[in-house]
């Protein structure tokens, strides 16, 4: 596969010549079990702070802290450059305990492979999970949630979207609790 006649290079399970199989394995936080109860969420675009994700990045769906679905977001492998994200439901087995139930709203995360970073992701529309549903959403945008008010006691300089958690100084001398 490396272009050398009789060479020893072989394609790995990810179809990478001379690869070690690591490029198609999901990030640790995005590992999930397959269920007989499934829905699919299609995103027209997936971005991190407004920039399109790279082909090596991943999108994951969660119910609380439990990953219920994930996909490597390589749009060149998807129909019309729109990928689907499988989201698994609780089918009554021990392997899917705590997974989605009808009417639950999944949350989403994006894994930026080049930065080795996870981002909370906000869909342009929240659609509840129902078995066998196909859901179309315009955009999923990865952000860093936190307090963006520079006057707040818990200001987070890395936050890109305010999460409503800001704690402003209190009292006559404008002090923060714990000061």
């Amino acid at each position: 596969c490396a272009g050398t006649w009789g060479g020893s290079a072989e394609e790995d399970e990810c179809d990478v010549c001379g690869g070690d199989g690591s490029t198609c394995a999901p990030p640790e936080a995005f590992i999930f079990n397959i269920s007989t109860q499934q829905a699919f969420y299609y995103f027209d675009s997936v971005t991190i702070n407004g920039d399109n994700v790279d082909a090596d990045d991943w999108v994951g769906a969660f119910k609380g802290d439990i990953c219920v679905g994930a996909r490597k977001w390589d749009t060149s492998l998807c129909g019309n450059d729109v990928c689907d994200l499988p989201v698994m439901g609780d089918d009554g087995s021990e392997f899917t305990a705590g997974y989605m139930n009808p009417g639950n709203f999944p949350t989403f995360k994006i894994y930026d492979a080049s930065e080795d970073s996870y981002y909370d992701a906000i869909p342009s529309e929240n659609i509840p999970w129902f078995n066998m549903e196909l859901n179309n959403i315009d955009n999923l945008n990865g952000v860093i949630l936190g307090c963006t008010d520079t006057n707040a006691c818990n200001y987070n300089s890395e936050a890109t979207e305010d999460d409503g958690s800001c704690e402003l100084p209190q009292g006559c001398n404008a002090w923060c609790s714990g000061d």
Side-chain angles (χ1 to χ4, degrees):
C1 67
T4 304
W5 181 255
S8 62
E10 294 181 14
E11 287 187 354
D12 66 7
E13 60 268 22
C14 304
D15 296 325
V16 174
C17 182
D20 62 4
S22 65
T23 60
C24 60
E28 187 173 331
F30 284 15
I31 295 173
F32 65 98
N33 293 314
I34 299 295
S35 171
T36 59
Q37 305 287 305
Q38 301 180 9
F40 295 86
Y41 287 75
Y42 291 84
F43 297 99
D44 292 333
S45 67
V46 175
T47 56
I48 297 174
N49 295 318
D51 294 324
N52 288 330
V53 296
D54 295 329
D56 289 333
D57 297 339
W58 286 76
V59 176
F62 289 81
K63 181 179 177 198
D65 292 334
I66 300 172
C67 182
V68 295
R71 166 124 22 242
K72 188 174 182 181
W73 216 256
D74 184 351
T75 59
S76 70
L77 302 177
C78 304
N80 294 323
D81 293 331
V82 177
C83 295
D84 68 328
L85 176 61
V87 180
M88 304 296 147
D90 188 337
D91 63 10
S93 75
E94 64 183 276
F95 302 108
T96 61
Y99 279 29
M100 303 301 292
N101 287 305
N104 290 156
F105 288 86
T107 58
F108 303 97
K109 293 186 181 293
I110 298 171
Y111 174 71
D112 182 340
S114 65
E115 300 290 329
D116 192 26
S117 297
Y118 292 91
Y119 293 86
D120 292 314
I122 300 173
S124 58
E125 179 181 4
N126 284 310
I127 300 177
W129 184 94
F130 288 96
N131 188 39
M132 301 303 292
E133 288 285 315
L134 303 176
N135 304 295
N136 294 305
I137 299 176
D138 290 335
N139 178 259
L140 184 68
N141 187 37
V143 296
I144 298 173
L145 295 172
C147 175
T148 59
D149 186 337
T150 57
N151 296 316
C153 300
N154 60 332
Y155 168 68
N156 180 349
S157 63
E158 294 185 10
T160 58
E161 185 159 319
D162 196 275
D163 65 359
S165 69
C166 294
E167 298 172 8
L168 295 173
Q170 312 232 340
C172 296
N173 296 324
W175 54 272
C176 292
S177 62
D179 283 352

PDB file of all heavy atoms in Angstrom, residues 91-118:
ATOM      1  N   ASP A  91     -32.660  -0.518  25.966  1.00  0.00           N
ATOM      2  CA  ASP A  91     -33.461  -1.631  25.443  1.00  0.00           C
ATOM      3  C   ASP A  91     -33.757  -2.679  26.509  1.00  0.00           C
ATOM      4  O   ASP A  91     -34.223  -3.774  26.213  1.00  0.00           O
ATOM      5  CB  ASP A  91     -32.799  -2.262  24.215  1.00  0.00           C
ATOM      6  CG  ASP A  91     -31.441  -2.896  24.511  1.00  0.00           C
ATOM      7  OD1 ASP A  91     -31.060  -3.038  25.698  1.00  0.00           O
ATOM      8  OD2 ASP A  91     -30.736  -3.244  23.536  1.00  0.00           O
ATOM      9  N   GLY A  92     -33.490  -2.339  27.759  1.00  0.00           N
ATOM     10  CA  GLY A  92     -33.766  -3.260  28.856  1.00  0.00           C
ATOM     11  C   GLY A  92     -32.620  -4.183  29.206  1.00  0.00           C
ATOM     12  O   GLY A  92     -32.690  -4.907  30.201  1.00  0.00           O
ATOM     13  N   SER A  93     -31.562  -4.164  28.421  1.00  0.00           N
ATOM     14  CA  SER A  93     -30.408  -5.022  28.730  1.00  0.00           C
ATOM     15  C   SER A  93     -29.470  -4.294  29.684  1.00  0.00           C
ATOM     16  O   SER A  93     -29.522  -3.071  29.828  1.00  0.00           O
ATOM     17  CB  SER A  93     -29.659  -5.396  27.442  1.00  0.00           C
ATOM     18  OG  SER A  93     -28.905  -4.289  26.963  1.00  0.00           O
ATOM     19  N   GLU A  94     -28.612  -5.053  30.336  1.00  0.00           N
ATOM     20  CA  GLU A  94     -27.641  -4.453  31.263  1.00  0.00           C
ATOM     21  C   GLU A  94     -26.638  -3.553  30.531  1.00  0.00           C
ATOM     22  O   GLU A  94     -26.061  -2.656  31.126  1.00  0.00           O
ATOM     23  CB  GLU A  94     -26.903  -5.539  32.035  1.00  0.00           C
ATOM     24  CG  GLU A  94     -26.039  -6.441  31.154  1.00  0.00           C
ATOM     25  CD  GLU A  94     -25.373  -7.567  31.915  1.00  0.00           C
ATOM     26  OE1 GLU A  94     -24.290  -7.322  32.502  1.00  0.00           O
ATOM     27  OE2 GLU A  94     -25.938  -8.680  31.912  1.00  0.00           O
ATOM     28  N   PHE A  95     -26.457  -3.773  29.236  1.00  0.00           N
ATOM     29  CA  PHE A  95     -25.479  -3.010  28.461  1.00  0.00           C
ATOM     30  C   PHE A  95     -25.957  -1.599  28.118  1.00  0.00           C
ATOM     31  O   PHE A  95     -25.158  -0.754  27.756  1.00  0.00           O
ATOM     32  CB  PHE A  95     -25.110  -3.757  27.178  1.00  0.00           C
ATOM     33  CG  PHE A  95     -24.562  -5.124  27.435  1.00  0.00           C
ATOM     34  CD1 PHE A  95     -25.313  -6.246  27.135  1.00  0.00           C
ATOM     35  CD2 PHE A  95     -23.312  -5.295  28.013  1.00  0.00           C
ATOM     36  CE1 PHE A  95     -24.818  -7.520  27.393  1.00  0.00           C
ATOM     37  CE2 PHE A  95     -22.810  -6.563  28.268  1.00  0.00           C
ATOM     38  CZ  PHE A  95     -23.565  -7.678  27.966  1.00  0.00           C
ATOM     39  N   THR A  96     -27.274  -1.378  28.182  1.00  0.00           N
ATOM     40  CA  THR A  96     -27.814  -0.068  27.816  1.00  0.00           C
ATOM     41  C   THR A  96     -28.559   0.598  28.973  1.00  0.00           C
ATOM     42  O   THR A  96     -29.327   1.535  28.755  1.00  0.00           O
ATOM     43  CB  THR A  96     -28.748  -0.189  26.593  1.00  0.00           C
ATOM     44  OG1 THR A  96     -29.843  -1.044  26.917  1.00  0.00           O
ATOM     45  CG2 THR A  96     -27.990  -0.724  25.382  1.00  0.00           C
ATOM     46  N   ALA A  97     -28.324   0.131  30.182  1.00  0.00           N
ATOM     47  CA  ALA A  97     -28.964   0.749  31.351  1.00  0.00           C
ATOM     48  C   ALA A  97     -28.542   2.215  31.442  1.00  0.00           C
ATOM     49  O   ALA A  97     -27.363   2.547  31.303  1.00  0.00           O
ATOM     50  CB  ALA A  97     -28.565   0.007  32.625  1.00  0.00           C
ATOM     51  N   GLY A  98     -29.509   3.092  31.614  1.00  0.00           N
ATOM     52  CA  GLY A  98     -29.231   4.525  31.701  1.00  0.00           C
ATOM     53  C   GLY A  98     -29.195   5.235  30.363  1.00  0.00           C
ATOM     54  O   GLY A  98     -28.963   6.439  30.314  1.00  0.00           O
ATOM     55  N   TYR A  99     -29.420   4.514  29.277  1.00  0.00           N
ATOM     56  CA  TYR A  99     -29.436   5.122  27.949  1.00  0.00           C
ATOM     57  C   TYR A  99     -30.753   5.889  27.747  1.00  0.00           C
ATOM     58  O   TYR A  99     -31.586   5.976  28.630  1.00  0.00           O
ATOM     59  CB  TYR A  99     -29.244   4.049  26.877  1.00  0.00           C
ATOM     60  CG  TYR A  99     -27.806   3.635  26.650  1.00  0.00           C
ATOM     61  CD1 TYR A  99     -26.848   3.700  27.660  1.00  0.00           C
ATOM     62  CD2 TYR A  99     -27.396   3.157  25.425  1.00  0.00           C
ATOM     63  CE1 TYR A  99     -25.533   3.314  27.436  1.00  0.00           C
ATOM     64  CE2 TYR A  99     -26.081   2.765  25.190  1.00  0.00           C
ATOM     65  CZ  TYR A  99     -25.163   2.843  26.200  1.00  0.00           C
ATOM     66  OH  TYR A  99     -23.861   2.462  25.968  1.00  0.00           O
ATOM     67  N   MET A 100     -30.965   6.436  26.551  1.00  0.00           N
ATOM     68  CA  MET A 100     -32.110   7.296  26.268  1.00  0.00           C
ATOM     69  C   MET A 100     -33.440   6.551  26.407  1.00  0.00           C
ATOM     70  O   MET A 100     -33.535   5.367  26.096  1.00  0.00           O
ATOM     71  CB  MET A 100     -32.007   7.859  24.844  1.00  0.00           C
ATOM     72  CG  MET A 100     -30.722   8.632  24.543  1.00  0.00           C
ATOM     73  SD  MET A 100     -30.442  10.057  25.596  1.00  0.00           S
ATOM     74  CE  MET A 100     -31.761  11.121  25.073  1.00  0.00           C
ATOM     75  N   ASN A 101     -34.449   7.296  26.866  1.00  0.00           N
ATOM     76  CA  ASN A 101     -35.838   6.842  26.894  1.00  0.00           C
ATOM     77  C   ASN A 101     -36.665   7.847  26.106  1.00  0.00           C
ATOM     78  O   ASN A 101     -36.262   9.008  25.959  1.00  0.00           O
ATOM     79  CB  ASN A 101     -36.347   6.750  28.335  1.00  0.00           C
ATOM     80  CG  ASN A 101     -35.744   5.568  29.067  1.00  0.00           C
ATOM     81  OD1 ASN A 101     -35.843   4.437  28.611  1.00  0.00           O
ATOM     82  ND2 ASN A 101     -35.104   5.830  30.196  1.00  0.00           N
ATOM     83  N   PRO A 102     -37.823   7.425  25.589  1.00  0.00           N
ATOM     84  CA  PRO A 102     -38.642   8.345  24.799  1.00  0.00           C
ATOM     85  C   PRO A 102     -38.895   9.674  25.533  1.00  0.00           C
ATOM     86  O   PRO A 102     -39.232   9.688  26.716  1.00  0.00           O
ATOM     87  CB  PRO A 102     -39.945   7.569  24.593  1.00  0.00           C
ATOM     88  CG  PRO A 102     -39.507   6.136  24.608  1.00  0.00           C
ATOM     89  CD  PRO A 102     -38.429   6.085  25.660  1.00  0.00           C
ATOM     90  N   GLY A 103     -38.658  10.771  24.808  1.00  0.00           N
ATOM     91  CA  GLY A 103     -38.858  12.108  25.356  1.00  0.00           C
ATOM     92  C   GLY A 103     -37.626  12.728  25.991  1.00  0.00           C
ATOM     93  O   GLY A 103     -37.619  13.922  26.266  1.00  0.00           O
ATOM     94  N   ASN A 104     -36.573  11.930  26.235  1.00  0.00           N
ATOM     95  CA  ASN A 104     -35.316  12.487  26.768  1.00  0.00           C
ATOM     96  C   ASN A 104     -34.640  13.345  25.705  1.00  0.00           C
ATOM     97  O   ASN A 104     -34.748  13.052  24.510  1.00  0.00           O
ATOM     98  CB  ASN A 104     -34.334  11.388  27.168  1.00  0.00           C
ATOM     99  CG  ASN A 104     -34.735  10.584  28.380  1.00  0.00           C
ATOM    100  OD1 ASN A 104     -34.295   9.460  28.513  1.00  0.00           O
ATOM    101  ND2 ASN A 104     -35.543  11.114  29.275  1.00  0.00           N
ATOM    102  N   PHE A 105     -33.923  14.360  26.151  1.00  0.00           N
ATOM    103  CA  PHE A 105     -33.153  15.204  25.242  1.00  0.00           C
ATOM    104  C   PHE A 105     -31.669  14.850  25.378  1.00  0.00           C
ATOM    105  O   PHE A 105     -31.104  15.001  26.466  1.00  0.00           O
ATOM    106  CB  PHE A 105     -33.348  16.689  25.571  1.00  0.00           C
ATOM    107  CG  PHE A 105     -34.706  17.204  25.209  1.00  0.00           C
ATOM    108  CD1 PHE A 105     -35.765  17.086  26.085  1.00  0.00           C
ATOM    109  CD2 PHE A 105     -34.921  17.798  23.975  1.00  0.00           C
ATOM    110  CE1 PHE A 105     -37.024  17.556  25.762  1.00  0.00           C
ATOM    111  CE2 PHE A 105     -36.180  18.273  23.627  1.00  0.00           C
ATOM    112  CZ  PHE A 105     -37.236  18.154  24.528  1.00  0.00           C
ATOM    113  N   PRO A 106     -31.026  14.387  24.310  1.00  0.00           N
ATOM    114  CA  PRO A 106     -29.588  14.119  24.405  1.00  0.00           C
ATOM    115  C   PRO A 106     -28.799  15.422  24.480  1.00  0.00           C
ATOM    116  O   PRO A 106     -29.252  16.469  24.004  1.00  0.00           O
ATOM    117  CB  PRO A 106     -29.279  13.376  23.100  1.00  0.00           C
ATOM    118  CG  PRO A 106     -30.322  13.855  22.145  1.00  0.00           C
ATOM    119  CD  PRO A 106     -31.552  14.125  22.967  1.00  0.00           C
ATOM    120  N   THR A 107     -27.640  15.356  25.110  1.00  0.00           N
ATOM    121  CA  THR A 107     -26.686  16.454  25.041  1.00  0.00           C
ATOM    122  C   THR A 107     -25.534  15.976  24.163  1.00  0.00           C
ATOM    123  O   THR A 107     -25.402  14.774  23.898  1.00  0.00           O
ATOM    124  CB  THR A 107     -26.167  16.864  26.431  1.00  0.00           C
ATOM    125  OG1 THR A 107     -25.566  15.721  27.062  1.00  0.00           O
ATOM    126  CG2 THR A 107     -27.302  17.405  27.293  1.00  0.00           C
ATOM    127  N   PHE A 108     -24.708  16.906  23.726  1.00  0.00           N
ATOM    128  CA  PHE A 108     -23.679  16.560  22.751  1.00  0.00           C
ATOM    129  C   PHE A 108     -22.327  17.124  23.166  1.00  0.00           C
ATOM    130  O   PHE A 108     -22.243  18.139  23.855  1.00  0.00           O
ATOM    131  CB  PHE A 108     -24.064  17.100  21.367  1.00  0.00           C
ATOM    132  CG  PHE A 108     -25.394  16.610  20.887  1.00  0.00           C
ATOM    133  CD1 PHE A 108     -26.531  17.379  21.040  1.00  0.00           C
ATOM    134  CD2 PHE A 108     -25.516  15.356  20.293  1.00  0.00           C
ATOM    135  CE1 PHE A 108     -27.766  16.933  20.611  1.00  0.00           C
ATOM    136  CE2 PHE A 108     -26.745  14.901  19.857  1.00  0.00           C
ATOM    137  CZ  PHE A 108     -27.875  15.686  20.016  1.00  0.00           C
ATOM    138  N   LYS A 109     -21.277  16.450  22.728  1.00  0.00           N
ATOM    139  CA  LYS A 109     -19.904  16.908  22.922  1.00  0.00           C
ATOM    140  C   LYS A 109     -19.150  16.698  21.618  1.00  0.00           C
ATOM    141  O   LYS A 109     -19.485  15.820  20.825  1.00  0.00           O
ATOM    142  CB  LYS A 109     -19.206  16.147  24.049  1.00  0.00           C
ATOM    143  CG  LYS A 109     -19.774  16.414  25.431  1.00  0.00           C
ATOM    144  CD  LYS A 109     -18.934  15.742  26.492  1.00  0.00           C
ATOM    145  CE  LYS A 109     -19.492  15.958  27.876  1.00  0.00           C
ATOM    146  NZ  LYS A 109     -19.434  17.333  28.309  1.00  0.00           N
ATOM    147  N   ILE A 110     -18.117  17.512  21.433  1.00  0.00           N
ATOM    148  CA  ILE A 110     -17.228  17.377  20.277  1.00  0.00           C
ATOM    149  C   ILE A 110     -15.823  17.129  20.813  1.00  0.00           C
ATOM    150  O   ILE A 110     -15.379  17.809  21.747  1.00  0.00           O
ATOM    151  CB  ILE A 110     -17.244  18.636  19.398  1.00  0.00           C
ATOM    152  CG1 ILE A 110     -18.648  18.881  18.838  1.00  0.00           C
ATOM    153  CG2 ILE A 110     -16.220  18.522  18.261  1.00  0.00           C
ATOM    154  CD1 ILE A 110     -18.804  20.220  18.136  1.00  0.00           C
ATOM    155  N   TYR A 111     -15.154  16.152  20.232  1.00  0.00           N
ATOM    156  CA  TYR A 111     -13.755  15.885  20.572  1.00  0.00           C
ATOM    157  C   TYR A 111     -12.896  16.420  19.436  1.00  0.00           C
ATOM    158  O   TYR A 111     -13.015  15.987  18.284  1.00  0.00           O
ATOM    159  CB  TYR A 111     -13.511  14.385  20.755  1.00  0.00           C
ATOM    160  CG  TYR A 111     -12.057  14.056  20.956  1.00  0.00           C
ATOM    161  CD1 TYR A 111     -11.411  14.385  22.140  1.00  0.00           C
ATOM    162  CD2 TYR A 111     -11.322  13.443  19.953  1.00  0.00           C
ATOM    163  CE1 TYR A 111     -10.069  14.091  22.326  1.00  0.00           C
ATOM    164  CE2 TYR A 111      -9.983  13.149  20.126  1.00  0.00           C
ATOM    165  CZ  TYR A 111      -9.364  13.477  21.322  1.00  0.00           C
ATOM    166  OH  TYR A 111      -8.032  13.195  21.492  1.00  0.00           O
ATOM    167  N   ASP A 112     -12.044  17.390  19.748  1.00  0.00           N
ATOM    168  CA  ASP A 112     -11.103  17.969  18.792  1.00  0.00           C
ATOM    169  C   ASP A 112      -9.812  17.160  18.879  1.00  0.00           C
ATOM    170  O   ASP A 112      -9.044  17.306  19.837  1.00  0.00           O
ATOM    171  CB  ASP A 112     -10.860  19.439  19.128  1.00  0.00           C
ATOM    172  CG  ASP A 112      -9.932  20.137  18.149  1.00  0.00           C
ATOM    173  OD1 ASP A 112      -9.169  19.454  17.437  1.00  0.00           O
ATOM    174  OD2 ASP A 112      -9.954  21.379  18.107  1.00  0.00           O
ATOM    175  N   ALA A 113      -9.590  16.289  17.896  1.00  0.00           N
ATOM    176  CA  ALA A 113      -8.441  15.378  17.922  1.00  0.00           C
ATOM    177  C   ALA A 113      -7.116  16.129  17.874  1.00  0.00           C
ATOM    178  O   ALA A 113      -6.150  15.728  18.534  1.00  0.00           O
ATOM    179  CB  ALA A 113      -8.528  14.381  16.765  1.00  0.00           C
ATOM    180  N   SER A 114      -7.045  17.223  17.130  1.00  0.00           N
ATOM    181  CA  SER A 114      -5.773  17.943  16.999  1.00  0.00           C
ATOM    182  C   SER A 114      -5.381  18.629  18.303  1.00  0.00           C
ATOM    183  O   SER A 114      -4.195  18.828  18.563  1.00  0.00           O
ATOM    184  CB  SER A 114      -5.844  18.971  15.867  1.00  0.00           C
ATOM    185  OG  SER A 114      -6.781  19.987  16.173  1.00  0.00           O
ATOM    186  N   GLU A 115      -6.355  18.994  19.119  1.00  0.00           N
ATOM    187  CA  GLU A 115      -6.087  19.656  20.408  1.00  0.00           C
ATOM    188  C   GLU A 115      -6.219  18.699  21.587  1.00  0.00           C
ATOM    189  O   GLU A 115      -5.923  19.086  22.724  1.00  0.00           O
ATOM    190  CB  GLU A 115      -7.053  20.834  20.602  1.00  0.00           C
ATOM    191  CG  GLU A 115      -6.960  21.907  19.542  1.00  0.00           C
ATOM    192  CD  GLU A 115      -5.673  22.707  19.629  1.00  0.00           C
ATOM    193  OE1 GLU A 115      -5.152  22.870  20.750  1.00  0.00           O
ATOM    194  OE2 GLU A 115      -5.190  23.157  18.581  1.00  0.00           O
ATOM    195  N   ASP A 116      -6.702  17.474  21.331  1.00  0.00           N
ATOM    196  CA  ASP A 116      -7.001  16.506  22.383  1.00  0.00           C
ATOM    197  C   ASP A 116      -7.892  17.150  23.446  1.00  0.00           C
ATOM    198  O   ASP A 116      -7.628  17.069  24.641  1.00  0.00           O
ATOM    199  CB  ASP A 116      -5.706  15.959  23.011  1.00  0.00           C
ATOM    200  CG  ASP A 116      -5.955  14.757  23.905  1.00  0.00           C
ATOM    201  OD1 ASP A 116      -6.960  14.042  23.689  1.00  0.00           O
ATOM    202  OD2 ASP A 116      -5.155  14.540  24.844  1.00  0.00           O
ATOM    203  N   SER A 117      -8.976  17.816  22.976  1.00  0.00           N
ATOM    204  CA  SER A 117      -9.871  18.555  23.866  1.00  0.00           C
ATOM    205  C   SER A 117     -11.320  18.204  23.583  1.00  0.00           C
ATOM    206  O   SER A 117     -11.701  17.962  22.438  1.00  0.00           O
ATOM    207  CB  SER A 117      -9.712  20.064  23.658  1.00  0.00           C
ATOM    208  OG  SER A 117      -8.423  20.479  23.983  1.00  0.00           O
ATOM    209  N   TYR A 118     -12.112  18.217  24.661  1.00  0.00           N
ATOM    210  CA  TYR A 118     -13.557  18.001  24.562  1.00  0.00           C
ATOM    211  C   TYR A 118     -14.267  19.332  24.724  1.00  0.00           C
ATOM    212  O   TYR A 118     -13.881  20.158  25.544  1.00  0.00           O
ATOM    213  CB  TYR A 118     -14.038  17.049  25.663  1.00  0.00           C
ATOM    214  CG  TYR A 118     -13.550  15.635  25.491  1.00  0.00           C
ATOM    215  CD1 TYR A 118     -12.358  15.221  26.069  1.00  0.00           C
ATOM    216  CD2 TYR A 118     -14.280  14.710  24.768  1.00  0.00           C
ATOM    217  CE1 TYR A 118     -11.908  13.916  25.927  1.00  0.00           C
ATOM    218  CE2 TYR A 118     -13.841  13.400  24.614  1.00  0.00           C
ATOM    219  CZ  TYR A 118     -12.651  13.017  25.200  1.00  0.00           C
ATOM    220  OH  TYR A 118     -12.211  11.730  25.051  1.00  0.00           O
TER     221      TYR A 118
END
